[in-house]
Amino acid sequence: MINPKLRHMIVDDIQSLIIPEKDVAYLYDFNSLMHGLLVLTSVNYAMIPVLKKTGQMVGLLNITMIIQEAMTLEDMDMDNLEGKTIDQIELRKPEFITQDEEIDSIIYKLLDNNFVCVVNDLENKEFIGIITRNAVLKRLNALLHNPKLNEIVKFGSDLEMLIQKNSEEFHY
C-alpha cells in the first residue's frame, strides 16, 4: 500500500488522469470487422475499447483479433471482415476502474495493460474514458524528479513536515 501522503503527491484527483470518452478512439459492437480494421490502422493504437450502442463497455479489440477472423486454411478472406460484426467475435476483457479507484490499484492494473477503462460503476460499465500507463508514469517521473523530494531523501528531512509545509509544490 502506498503511503497516503505519497499517494496525494502522485495524484490528488484521478479526474486529472482520465482521457474522456469524447477524446478516445473506440468502436461499437455493431460495427463490421472491416470498419474496426480501418479505425485501428488509422489511429495507430494497439487496442481500442468496444462499446454497446448504450455506451456500456463490452471489451477490447486489436488488429490480431480481426486478422484471425479473415484467415482461412489457404488464404486471407477480407470479404469475411465486411460480413461479420465485432459482437460476433470474442473480445479481450478490459481492466475496469471507477472514478473513485485508488492510485495503488490503478498502477497495479497498468502493469500488464497500456490503459485501464474508466466506467461509471462496475455493474453497468458505462464508458467514461481511459487512464493510460503513460499518464501515470509521467506523474511518477515528475514526482521523483521534484527537487523537494530529492531534498527529503538527501538530508533525511521529516517527510510529513516537508509535505505540509510545501504541499502546493507537489501537485502536478
Side-chain angles (χ1 to χ4, degrees), residues 63-142:
I63 289 179
T64 303
M65 295 171 182
I66 296 172
I67 297 300
Q68 286 176 341
E69 292 299 316
M71 292 174 63
T72 66
L73 290 175
E74 299 91 29
D75 204 0
M76 287 193 49
D77 182 6
M78 298 304 274
D79 293 333
N80 194 28
L81 299 181
E82 197 58 57
K84 273 192 173 175
T85 56
I86 294 171
D87 62 357
Q88 293 177 302
I89 68 169
E90 187 173 340
L91 300 172
R92 180 175 168 200
K93 185 180 180 225
E95 285 290 348
F96 295 112
I97 64 163
T98 60
Q99 295 177 74
D100 58 352
E101 193 93 15
E102 295 290 338
I103 192 67
D104 320 42
S105 174
I106 294 169
I107 291 171
Y108 180 76
K109 290 177 179 184
L110 286 171
L111 290 174
D112 295 322
N113 299 281
N114 291 330
F115 63 91
V116 291
C117 296
V118 184
V119 294
N120 65 332
D121 64 62
L122 297 177
E123 188 176 320
N124 294 324
K125 297 179 184 144
E126 184 180 320
F127 186 64
I128 292 171
I130 64 172
I131 295 178
T132 65
R133 182 187 301 153
N134 189 32
V136 173
L137 285 173
K138 282 181 180 179
R139 291 290 177 94
L140 289 171
N141 186 52

Side-chain angles (χ1 to χ4, degrees), residues 47-63:
M47 190 168 298
I48 60 175
V50 177
L51 313 178
K52 288 185 179 182
K53 191 175 187 175
T54 59
Q56 183 181 28
M57 276 286 310
V58 292
L60 301 172
L61 181 71
N62 65 30
I63 289 179

Side-chain angles (χ1 to χ4, degrees), residues 2 5-20 101-104 106-107 110 130-147 149 167-172:
I2 297 175
K5 298 205 182 305
L6 285 174
R7 183 183 307 127
H8 175 74
M9 290 167 54
I10 296 168
V11 62
D12 195 25
D13 181 18
I14 293 297
Q15 295 296 327
S16 64
L17 291 174
I18 297 174
I19 300 170
E101 193 93 15
E102 295 290 338
I103 192 67
D104 320 42
I106 294 169
I107 291 171
L110 286 171
I130 64 172
I131 295 178
T132 65
R133 182 187 301 153
N134 189 32
V136 173
L137 285 173
K138 282 181 180 179
R139 291 290 177 94
L140 289 171
N141 186 52
L143 171 64
L144 294 173
H145 288 89
N146 184 306
L149 186 62
S167 63
E168 299 82 38
E169 296 178 41
F170 283 105
H171 297 283
Y172 299 95

Side-chain angles (χ1 to χ4, degrees), residues 1 16 22 34 36 39 45 57 63 111 132 142 147 152 154 156:
M1 175 182 267
S16 64
K22 68 179 179 61
M34 181 59 83
V39 170
Y45 293 152
M57 276 286 310
I63 289 179
L111 290 174
T132 65
I152 294 168
K154 185 175 181 181

